[in-house]
Amino acid sequence: MLYLQLLVNGIQTGAMYALIAAGFSLIFGMTRVFHAAHGATFTIAGFVFYECYQVFELGLILSVLGSALAAGLFGMLLNRWVYVVIQRHEGSFFTVFAASFGAAIVVENLIAIFFGKGLMTVSTDWSRSVEMMPGLFVAPMSFVAVIVAIVCFAILHWLFTHTSLGVALRALGENPMLIDVFGLNQRELGKYAFLIGSVLVVPAAVLTATTTGLSASMGHHIMMISIAATIVGGVGSLRGAAMAGMLFGLAENLSLAFFEPQWSEAVTFVILFLFIIFRPGGFYGRAIVS
Amino acid sequence: MKKVLGVLALCQALVAAPALAQDIKLGAAFPMSGANAEYGEIFSSGVNLGVEHVNADKRLKGTMAVVYEDSQALPTQGVIAANKLINVEETPYILSAFTGVSKALAPLGQRNQVVMINGGGVGPDLAQLGPYFWNVIPLANLEVETMVPFLVNEKGLKRVALVYVDDPLGQAAREVLDKELKAAGGELVGAFSIPATAQQFSGVAARVRDTRPDAVYIASYGNQQVQLVKQLRDNGVSQPLASYSAFSIPSLLNLPEAKGSYFTSQQINLDSPDERTKRMVADYRQKFNKDPNMYAINYYNAVLLYADLVEALQKEGKAITGANLLEQRQKTPTFDFVGSPVSFLEDGTVKSPVQINEIAGDGSFTLLKAGK
């Protein structure tokens, strides 16, 4: 029963990681901006949800919408007022990365000032597990996590295969020069990449708020997972990032059956090293180093 | 050019002026950011009040000032912070916290003859870090020695599972818990170490449930222990939870899932009639609108201990150095701490009665058993 329990936990964690990683991969793959502040977007989304749901008691749907609005706005404004400005002055890839990293630290400190440095949790019965069969505990939130992830990826798939915006975004990731030839605006498309990528953190942020709690410094862990999943999935591949996120979630939890819990995070990086050595292009994408 | 140099000299003087006025420095390497910053806030609330009181009393020749550096509760950052406090700020007395950080800082104190004083870390091996490392908090072995007989003999909870952070504090807690449980007729049925940065514990909860314990002991701290409690409860661990003094932070005391958990802490009588306690408690309540917890009191005591030693050295016309502070402490039999007079043991630690508390789940706790 322990294996089944860990499998269920792994699927829930994996669904969460998949969404976060897909958002980061989408932004990085489409715009080539190493958006280190993706973890900050996640933190903002979580805290706005907390404020709307727990403090202002706006209800679940309005709180999620508020969280999505905040995440999307943050991503787009950061792109517009920081990344684009630096790129306009021919800032290098690393200048943009440093700016993004700095933005993440500023956000962390601002959140600590406004919300305090402790952990904040949202109390809901959705996160409380029920015993499905002897020894197997599943929280309603686990089902929500998996269903939300499936719905999000179905919408993304439709967007990228059936809409002109999606096709243009894919083209931006594949060949930015071609975008110019077709008279499309790279920066305009980049705006949408940031909007969609940032909003993708919302389900995971809401799940985190209700299951593990929120703290100003939680963005670092999210960032690490995002980077690792983007490499393992293959740069620019949403499908790959999603698969890598799920792989990490499952590996992190199933490893508990064999190793001490202290090794569960290391498993993620062992997988990453193995991919870098034996399959640098990841599941589907291009190699990070050419 | 002369004008420029003149302006620079004026700037230099303006910058240097506050440093001249604050001539009795103490340093503090606390977590001011990161997952354990909540402790930094509590620690510094006690330190600031202590410094305020010392300066208001005008006991010292000069003004006392505290220089904070951010340790992030990490040994590497702590060493960077302490190096700056020793070599740049030249402070002879540095407040430290957290077992892992304190163990990293102790050799620096020993090498540079700078006093390191801990009021927050409780790893038992903090008693073995040399004469320049002092503790104003009873260490975890005293806390575990108090909790285990309570769990095993009074509550009948013999099978205990441990979830502990993989650092010196957690490892020490595992050793002491194992030893004490065996001595009390109990059993450590499982010990699960977690990395200090871990946040997801649903899998750990499954492993804990699998051991079918009577109680679960948690040896972690900060945001992580709050996440642990919530996730253990959310994932079907319904057995009583027990821990040590790290459980006394607001975010855990306010957590509904923590209701009914037991934790030990050093015994502090906030209603003590002595003037030092009455003043500290009254001013703290006025300033922060709540009672001081033992961390705030420990660091307040650490500041007043420094003031006592400096005052004595100034009376004798001696320099305020780490070596002189150590000598002065060793020849002073007792110090008036908030709560009660305290004597230091040979190994630089203090002994204090340890009480057992139960969390009410609304930000407060009730005293279950007074310390002896």
Side-chain angles (χ1 to χ4, degrees):
Chain A
M1 197 51 72
L2 178 65
Y3 293 101
L4 186 59
Q5 178 71 68
L6 294 174
L7 183 70
V8 170
N9 292 348
I11 290 170
Q12 187 207 335
T13 312
M16 214 175 77
Y17 286 171
L19 283 171
I20 298 163
F24 178 82
S25 183
L26 192 148
I27 292 170
F28 185 47
M30 308 291 159
T31 65
R32 294 296 182 274
V33 170
F34 195 93
H35 183 43
H38 193 57
T41 312
F42 177 85
T43 314
I44 288 172
F47 274 92
V48 169
F49 173 78
Y50 173 87
E51 279 295 300
C52 294
Y53 187 78
Q54 192 87 349
V55 180
F56 296 113
E57 297 179 358
L58 295 181
L60 187 68
I61 294 171
L62 276 180
S63 302
V64 171
L65 286 176
S67 174
L69 185 68
L73 267 178
F74 175 72
M76 285 172 69
L77 290 177
L78 195 67
N79 178 46
R80 174 68 188 83
W81 295 108
V82 179
Y83 302 150
V84 169
V85 172
I86 294 171
Q87 285 165 337
R88 201 173 277 154
H89 292 88
E90 296 184 14
S92 68
F93 173 86
F94 286 105
T95 315
V96 176
F97 167 69
S100 178
F101 196 70
I105 293 171
V106 169
V107 169
E108 181 183 330
N109 281 284
L110 285 174
I111 286 176
I113 290 168
F114 287 111
F115 294 96
K117 294 169 178 176
L119 192 87
M120 300 168 98
T121 53
V122 175
S123 292
T124 165
D125 289 339
W126 288 69
S127 64
R128 188 60 65 94
S129 298
V130 286
E131 196 164 10
M132 308 285 288
M133 58 178 86
L136 180 68
F137 287 75
V138 185
M141 200 54 90
S142 299
F143 295 112
V144 175
V146 177
I147 290 167
V148 166
I150 291 169
V151 170
C152 282
F153 282 112
I155 292 172
L156 275 180
H157 179 74
W158 172 79
L159 184 81
F160 282 101
T161 51
H162 289 81
T163 67
S164 51
L165 173 66
V167 173
L169 280 170
R170 275 167 54 204
L172 179 67
E174 291 291 326
N175 191 344
M177 302 294 282
L178 204 62
I179 289 289
D180 293 336
V181 172
F182 277 90
L184 293 167
N185 186 333
Q186 284 192 37
R187 291 205 169 119
E188 190 67 18
L189 287 172
K191 191 170 79 180
Y192 289 109
F194 269 90
L195 175 67
I196 298 165
S198 299
V199 169
L200 275 178
V201 303
V202 172
V206 172
L207 290 171
T208 303
T210 53
T211 54
T212 61
L214 302 165
S215 70
S217 57
M218 68 185 183
H220 300 292
H221 179 70
I222 297 303
M223 202 50 237
M224 297 295 280
I225 294 291
S226 300
I227 295 168
T230 299
I231 296 169
V232 170
V235 178
S237 168
L238 284 186
R239 192 169 42 159
M243 280 178 65
M246 184 56 81
L247 175 67
F248 289 158
L250 284 169
E252 203 175 294
N253 280 276
L254 286 172
S255 69
L256 289 168
F258 310 101
F259 307 112
E260 278 287 295
Q262 75 182 87
W263 297 108
S264 63
E265 278 191 344
V267 167
T268 303
F269 293 95
V270 169
I271 294 172
L272 175 64
F273 295 146
L274 291 175
F275 265 83
I276 287 172
I277 294 166
F278 297 109
R279 197 178 164 87
F283 280 130
Y284 295 108
R286 301 177 293 274
I288 284 265
V289 182
S290 58
Chain B
M1 187 61 187
K2 277 185 182 172
K3 277 184 184 172
V4 174
L5 288 173
V7 171
L8 285 175
L10 182 64
C11 292
Q12 171 75 17
L14 287 172
V15 171
L20 289 174
Q22 298 168 352
D23 54 4
I24 303 166
K25 284 188 200 171
L26 76 153
F30 287 165
M32 308 307 280
S33 65
N36 293 296
E38 189 177 359
Y39 289 102
E41 264 183 355
I42 296 169
F43 299 161
S44 53
S45 69
V47 173
N48 293 339
L49 187 63
V51 171
E52 203 178 300
H53 282 174
V54 169
N55 287 332
D57 293 346
K58 298 189 188 306
R59 295 164 55 191
L60 310 177
K61 291 173 196 154
T63 308
M64 184 181 274
V66 57
V67 184
Y68 287 106
E69 287 294 330
D70 187 5
S71 73
Q72 296 176 20
L74 299 170
T76 314
Q77 294 301 321
V79 167
I80 294 168
N83 266 322
K84 191 175 170 200
L85 290 169
I86 293 168
N87 299 314
V88 181
E89 301 291 345
E90 297 180 342
T91 54
Y93 190 88
I94 294 174
L95 306 173
S96 164
F98 288 83
T99 305
V101 177
S102 297
K103 286 179 80 171
L105 300 198
L108 290 177
Q110 196 67 27
R111 196 161 58 235
N112 294 286
Q113 295 194 323
V114 167
V115 171
M116 301 280 174
I117 185 153
N118 160 52
V122 290
D125 38 3
L126 293 181
Q128 297 150 16
L129 299 181
Y132 282 94
F133 194 91
W134 313 347
N135 297 284
V136 286
I137 183 171
L139 301 179
N141 47 333
L142 292 178
E143 296 205 37
V144 177
E145 281 167 20
T146 308
M147 178 59 85
V148 168
F150 170 77
L151 290 179
V152 175
N153 302 329
E154 294 185 32
K155 293 285 174 186
L157 307 169
K158 294 190 174 178
R159 293 167 52 80
V160 178
L162 168 70
V163 183
Y164 66 103
V165 63
D166 183 34
D167 75 357
L169 175 273
Q171 286 149 7
R174 179 185 176 151
E175 259 176 54
V176 180
L177 189 69
D178 194 21
K179 188 179 127 207
E180 293 299 325
L181 275 169
K182 278 177 188 156
E187 185 189 355
L188 187 63
V189 292
F192 306 100
S193 66
I194 50 174
T197 52
Q199 298 177 3
Q200 296 279 346
F201 303 111
S202 51
V204 175
R207 290 283 306 270
V208 168
R209 278 200 322 265
D210 213 39
T211 62
R212 302 183 187 284
D214 296 331
V216 182
Y217 194 92
I218 293 172
S220 177
Y221 41 73
N223 291 342
Q224 189 181 62
Q225 66 181 358
V226 186
Q227 290 170 319
L228 250 172
V229 171
K230 178 164 170 51
Q231 291 181 54
L232 288 177
R233 286 287 183 248
D234 275 353
N235 289 282
V237 176
S238 54
Q239 288 88 343
L241 303 179
S243 189
Y244 68 107
S245 44
F247 257 36
S248 65
I249 56 172
S251 51
L252 205 122
L253 296 176
N254 281 305
L255 185 74
E257 287 83 358
K259 188 178 177 184
S261 301
Y262 307 124
F263 74 95
T264 45
S265 64
Q266 67 197 88
Q267 185 152 313
I268 289 174
N269 179 13
L270 294 181
D271 302 321
S272 174
D274 77 275
E275 285 307 314
R276 188 172 269 201
T277 306
K278 274 160 62 179
R279 181 191 191 191
M280 193 274 170
V281 174
D283 286 1
Y284 194 95
R285 280 176 181 156
Q286 194 187 8
K287 220 176 172 91
F288 301 102
N289 207 21
K290 61 182 177 186
D291 281 341
N293 73 1
M294 84 258 168
Y295 291 127
I297 291 173
N298 288 339
Y299 283 105
Y300 178 90
N301 282 333
V303 172
L304 266 67
L305 170 66
Y306 184 45
D308 289 349
L309 296 173
V310 169
E311 190 180 21
L313 291 178
Q314 285 181 337
K315 272 182 191 157
E316 292 179 24
K318 287 183 177 171
I320 304 162
T321 63
N324 287 344
L325 288 167
L326 173 62
E327 189 191 353
Q328 186 61 40
R329 192 214 84 198
Q330 284 168 335
K331 69 182 185 190
T332 310
T334 58
F335 294 90
D336 287 327
F337 274 16
V338 165
S340 64
V342 161
S343 307
F344 278 90
L345 304 176
E346 281 278 305
D347 58 9
T349 63
V350 292
K351 225 173 175 177
S352 162
V354 174
Q355 65 186 34
I356 299 173
N357 315 292
E358 183 175 353
I359 294 177
D362 60 356
S364 65
F365 59 85
T366 51
L367 174 67
L368 277 189
K369 198 173 176 192
K372 289 177 191 163

